[in-house]
Amino acid sequence: RICEHCVNETYSDTIGDAPCLDFEVCDPGTFVTVNGTASENRQCRQCPNGRFSSVEGMQECIPWQSCGIGFGLKPGGGGMFK
């Protein structure tokens, strides 16, 4: 049996003969709360009300911005809640 170190966004939190597993993906609408290591999975949490993330893997959620009078929402300038 040959063992290898978990690398490149993979981890193993068990002893035995299981392969390394891929880190959890923090989807839009969530943010990373714990960065993964070779022995611990990445952890994600949903953005709180009034904040958003629009791409995978954000370290924090961004506050929503309300458009004032004379301004409109830029196409594609929205975010996603999950």
Side-chain angles (χ1 to χ4, degrees):
R1 179 181 316 213
I2 298 173
C3 300
E4 63 182 355
H5 190 73
C6 295
V7 296
N8 298 328
E9 304 221 348
T10 64
Y11 76 100
S12 175
D13 59 1
T14 61
I15 296 173
D17 56 2
C20 297
L21 303 170
D22 291 333
F23 282 169
E24 179 176 354
V25 174
C26 297
D27 292 322
T30 67
F31 67 103
V32 177
T33 58
V34 175
N35 288 312
T37 66
S39 60
E40 182 180 15
N41 193 5
R42 176 186 294 134
Q43 295 179 29
C44 310
R45 182 170 291 151
Q46 186 172 355
C47 291
N49 287 338
R51 299 177 80 82
F52 75 100
S53 66
S54 57
V55 295
E56 289 180 356
M58 289 188 67
Q59 296 293 316
E60 62 182 338
C61 298
I62 301 168
W64 280 104
Q65 179 177 352
S66 296
C67 300
I69 296 172
F71 292 87
L73 183 63
K74 180 179 178 179
M80 295 176 63
F81 279 109
K82 189 166 186 180

